Amino acid sequence: MAEADRFFSKLGRNYKPGVITEIVLAAFDMQRKGKRLISLSGGSYDPPSFPITEVKTLLQEAPDAAWREILQYGSNRGYWRLREALSKFMEQRGMKADSEKEILITTGSQQALDLLARVFIDEDDIIGIGSPTYLEALSIFNQFSPQFLTVPVDENSLDLDLLEENLRSLKAQGKRMKLLYTVPSFENPTGAVMPQANRKRLLELAEEHDFLIVEDNPYGYIAFDETPTTPIKAIDESGRVIYLSTFSKIVSPGLRIGWVTADEELVGKMSLAKSSADLCSDGLSQYVASELLSRGIVEKQIKRVTEVYRTKRDLMLETMETSFPDEAKWNKPRGGLFLWVTLPEGVDASKMVFEAVERGVAYIPGSEFFTDPSKTNYMRLNYSFPSQEDIVEGIQILGKLLKEKL
Ligand SMILES: Cc1ncc(COP(=O)(O)O)c(C=O)c1O
């Protein structure tokens, strides 16, 4: 139907295709024309590392009683065996979570973000976010029209001095920040890690200024050069931290298994929102996830992808050294999936991406991760998905394009 705008809600009208949708469309167009596109854009899994044999085996071995559970409606909180297995998985990482009351299984952690936005954010609530931060969290929060308190992110993640200054100034005006969203371990997009002392200080600030911390941790398990940092949740004594995590980066994004761990009352409310969103998560995926955990395959996958991603990171860094212009600067990620490139001011990576796609390589323009659209001189590059050959070729193409622009 043409001109359907009159039917859309206020929220519906706000869903607009952004640069990423355009990149995806351009990529499809390339495919149609039979041209190859190297993707350094998304956060997808290394295809050869999927635990294919293991998943096939565990499904073949599933007894009829399990199939009767898999094929039936399940609990809105998630499959009990999966919650129990996750409780143990988290205990090994210093977090205590009662599998009955404090864990909710979600359709990826993306759904957890959506549920928590519904449950906690009203229009004009003050919500703290890093600048830059995970772009899809920004778009979910935006649906509820909050006011963002943006906190600059450097290699130590959030600038807590500035956060504290802002919190004091809010207090002086009789206002309060309700919730702070952070990805403290190998952040998307910058790869930053919040030091342990800062995690403690952030909790103290939350206590003093009465806000909740949403700790989104998809990447913390993938640590290249160090033991993974202790989650903020592990040192949270007063139940202020809502911990989100996912199978997407360590096992499979296609299974769509995420989870939330938080205080009983907070999880209870999110479970009610989950019921209204989709009644319960997919039974087959939850069964697979619980078996992968209890058979020790998740831990093996974490080790496996950490090795693969370290090698790919090193290859990307090496190729950038020889191909990128001197004016471009980038970090050496200590974990996670992404490399963050800073270009000289004035270079517009959002415009340049379409030329890059034309030449056969896609990346995500950094501006997508800021609330301020003028921050255009950044690029996020992914090394987990592309093959080693594609990393070398993709970086060489980008390097040539950048040299022409600078
Ligand atoms: C920081 C962060 N949070 C949440 C997600 C959502 O992941 P999923 O819904 O696949 O679990 C992603 C995906 O890239 C992410 O980077």
Side-chain angles (χ1 to χ4, degrees):
M1 185 199 306
E3 300 296 324
D5 201 59
R6 66 191 183 285
F7 294 113
F8 294 136
S9 63
K10 213 164 115 191
L11 186 60
R13 263 181 230 120
N14 268 336
Y15 290 120
K16 295 198 176 102
V19 178
I20 293 176
T21 322
E22 287 180 46
I23 297 171
V24 173
L25 288 178
F28 281 137
D29 196 42
M30 296 275 291
Q31 256 177 358
R32 257 199 308 275
K33 291 178 188 155
K35 291 189 193 162
R36 197 160 80 92
L37 184 72
I38 296 171
S39 175
L40 310 180
S41 52
S44 296
Y45 206 76
D46 174 58
S49 296
F50 283 127
I52 296 175
T53 315
E54 293 87 337
V55 172
K56 280 185 185 168
T57 307
L58 71 86
L59 282 177
Q60 265 159 9
E61 289 173 2
D64 282 0
W67 281 109
R68 278 191 280 277
E69 274 187 303
I70 290 169
L71 297 174
Q72 193 53 279
Y73 279 119
S75 153
N76 61 335
R77 286 178 182 248
Y79 181 39
W80 63 276
R81 276 188 221 276
L82 177 57
R83 281 184 278 131
E84 283 187 357
L86 281 173
S87 173
K88 284 193 195 123
F89 178 79
M90 284 187 288
E91 202 178 335
Q92 281 152 6
R93 289 161 175 85
M95 292 172 278
K96 280 217 168 67
D98 181 319
S99 65
E100 286 280 313
K101 301 182 190 130
E102 295 172 336
I103 298 180
L104 169 67
I105 310 296
T106 54
T107 304
S109 50
Q110 194 64 22
Q111 185 182 43
L113 285 168
D114 184 71
L115 298 179
L116 77 84
R118 292 172 198 228
V119 165
F120 298 108
I121 305 179
D122 278 322
E123 193 174 335
D124 289 332
D125 276 349
I126 301 171
I127 304 301
I129 51 165
S131 176
T133 194
Y134 173 48
L135 69 143
E136 295 294 349
L138 274 184
S139 65
I140 285 180
F141 296 159
N142 259 325
Q143 292 178 29
F144 297 88
S145 309
Q147 289 178 33
F148 287 119
L149 191 164
T150 53
V151 186
V153 164
D154 59 20
E155 72 275 14
N156 289 331
S157 189
L158 301 171
D159 181 332
L160 295 188
D161 288 336
L162 263 180
L163 173 64
E164 184 164 8
E165 221 174 87
N166 277 304
L167 290 169
R168 287 193 195 291
S169 130
L170 282 176
K171 201 178 214 169
Q173 300 165 54
K175 294 183 185 167
R176 166 181 151 255
M177 182 178 80
K178 194 184 218 179
L179 177 152
L180 175 97
Y181 171 75
T182 174
V183 188
S185 303
F186 315 125
E187 216 156 299
N188 179 3
T190 61
V193 181
M194 187 183 289
Q196 213 56 44
N198 291 26
R199 293 174 187 230
K200 191 163 168 281
R201 183 168 166 214
L202 183 60
L203 273 170
E204 285 161 6
L205 286 173
E207 209 55 50
E208 187 183 337
H209 293 273
D210 191 25
F211 60 87
L212 293 171
I213 298 170
V214 177
E215 178 179 25
D216 189 3
N217 187 27
Y219 305 107
Y221 317 99
I222 305 168
F224 301 139
D225 316 310
E226 57 198 294
T227 47
T229 39
T230 311
I232 307 175
K233 181 75 194 155
I235 50 169
D236 167 33
E237 280 168 10
S238 60
R240 289 194 172 267
V241 178
I242 302 173
Y243 181 85
L244 316 184
S245 197
T246 174
F247 264 40
S248 290
K249 313 299 171 177
I250 52 178
V251 182
S252 150
L255 284 177
R256 308 307 299 134
I257 295 289
W259 74 94
V260 182
T261 304
D263 175 80
E264 178 180 344
E265 202 181 333
L266 307 181
V267 167
K269 200 54 127 178
M270 288 177 73
S271 308
L272 296 175
K274 164 88 181 165
S275 271
S276 120
D278 63 357
L279 299 181
C280 61
S281 276
D282 169 72
L284 190 57
S285 287
Q286 292 188 84
Y287 180 78
V288 170
S290 77
E291 285 296 308
L292 289 173
L293 275 166
S294 58
R295 294 176 185 220
I297 297 162
V298 172
E299 298 294 350
K300 274 196 203 137
Q301 285 300 119
I302 291 176
K303 289 201 184 92
R304 183 173 179 179
V305 294
T306 302
E307 285 306 311
V308 172
Y309 296 165
R310 184 196 287 111
T311 306
K312 288 186 169 188
R313 172 204 65 174
D314 289 345
L315 180 63
M316 188 173 266
L317 286 169
E318 257 169 49
T319 318
M320 287 168 82
E321 268 325 313
T322 52
S323 312
F324 270 31
D326 291 341
E327 297 91 329
K329 305 283 170 237
W330 55 88
N331 65 327
K332 179 181 182 186
R334 287 151 54 197
L337 270 54
F338 305 111
L339 226 145
W340 184 242
V341 183
T342 306
L343 303 168
E345 298 242 355
V347 179
D348 191 338
S350 324
K351 287 203 180 118
M352 203 182 72
V353 71
F354 296 102
E355 270 179 81
V357 169
E358 265 301 306
R359 293 186 192 196
V361 58
Y363 63 86
I364 301 286
S367 52
E368 296 298 301
F369 302 89
F370 292 95
T371 48
D372 171 1
S374 72
K375 306 255 187 197
T376 57
N377 57 316
Y378 300 94
M379 301 157 77
R380 191 198 72 181
L381 303 179
N382 166 263
Y383 46 77
S384 58
F385 174 73
S387 66
Q388 299 203 12
E389 297 72 43
D390 282 358
I391 288 178
V392 173
E393 196 184 333
I395 291 296
Q396 284 171 345
I397 295 172
L398 269 186
K400 190 161 176 286
L401 179 61
L402 281 171
K403 281 180 180 160
E404 287 168 24
K405 296 281 162 200
L406 299 180

